[in-house]
Amino acid sequence: MSWLDVLSAVLLISGGIFFLTGTVGMLRFSSCYSRLHALTKADNAGLGLIALGLMVQAESLWVALKILLVWALALLAATVSAHLIARFSLRVDRGTQRAPP
Amino acid sequence: MENIYTGLALFLLLNLLAGLFRVYHGPSAADRMLAALLFGTTTVAVLLLLAQTMQEPALRDVALLFTLLAAVIAIAFTRLPRRSVGRSER
């Protein structure tokens, strides 16, 4: 194993740990908003680490750029959907005021 | 290296399986939608891993498409009429 392989393996495995954290948070947290908080941040960090670990191993620059593009689009999609779901949940709860800090 | 890719892909699939519990159990419709968010992110990671380990570059394009569809799903969900959401929450 070259040092690139080791770097890639470390990145991939830490990405997997982030994914596990997100799933555990989604299963264990009590309210919808805290679940949303756990899921979106941890999962996208995990996806970023896995993408980085695969980019290290990519055969050409274009492949690496494509993986980077996938991650960037996933970040954009996840932020938009998390915001929309949180607002939807707030509307369903009929809460019109902001939560106290 | 191949073993790490395959093992990680399997581990992520197990994560998805655990996420199904929230779909089944989730008290509100928003919670179920949250699980769909998890599925989107995890499936993209699995597809990227499989593209590398199976030498199948087309799977990267599938992952690209999947991210876009995941956003569309959430937008469609939040624009549902109020009545149908209330029914699914019962």
Side-chain angles (χ1 to χ4, degrees):
Chain A
M1 272 174 102
S2 68
W3 65 272
L4 263 183
D5 283 351
V6 174
L7 176 66
S8 169
V10 168
L11 284 170
L12 287 174
I13 290 173
S14 44
I17 291 172
F18 268 93
F19 266 105
L20 180 66
T21 318
T23 309
V24 169
M26 192 185 76
L27 290 180
R28 296 291 303 161
F29 278 175
S30 55
S31 84
C32 180
Y33 306 107
S34 47
R35 274 177 220 138
L36 204 56
H37 150 81
L39 186 68
T40 45
K41 282 191 261 299
D43 266 17
N44 284 297
L47 183 61
L49 284 173
I50 286 182
L52 213 60
L54 289 174
M55 275 165 70
V56 168
Q57 294 275 330
E59 55 261 32
S60 72
L61 183 63
W62 287 114
V63 171
L65 281 180
K66 192 185 264 182
I67 295 175
L68 190 68
L69 179 67
V70 169
W71 181 51
L73 276 178
L75 271 186
L76 201 65
T79 38
V80 171
S81 354
H83 190 90
L84 284 174
I85 290 175
R87 209 168 56 177
F88 173 85
S89 181
L90 205 62
R91 206 173 62 205
V92 167
D93 294 344
R94 288 176 178 68
T96 48
Q97 308 122 347
R98 285 169 183 271
Chain B
M1 218 47 221
E2 303 289 316
N3 284 336
I4 294 179
Y5 293 147
T6 321
L8 194 59
L10 269 178
F11 171 72
L12 291 179
L13 282 179
L14 285 180
N15 260 346
L16 279 188
L17 214 60
L20 277 180
F21 175 76
R22 181 53 72 193
V23 177
Y24 177 70
H25 208 73
S28 71
D31 286 311
R32 300 205 168 94
M33 201 55 218
L34 226 112
L37 213 63
L38 169 81
F39 290 176
T41 324
T42 316
T43 312
V44 168
V46 169
L47 282 172
L48 286 178
L49 284 168
L50 286 185
Q52 188 84 10
T53 183
M54 290 167 67
Q55 307 290 324
E56 196 88 55
L59 283 180
R60 286 194 194 99
D61 298 332
V62 177
L64 206 56
L65 200 64
F66 210 91
T67 50
L68 296 176
L69 285 181
V72 172
I73 288 171
I75 292 168
F77 166 74
T78 50
R79 292 288 175 265
L80 278 179
R82 193 70 64 83
R83 258 175 301 135
S84 64
V85 172
R87 210 165 39 224
S88 72
E89 259 183 314
R90 185 143 35 104

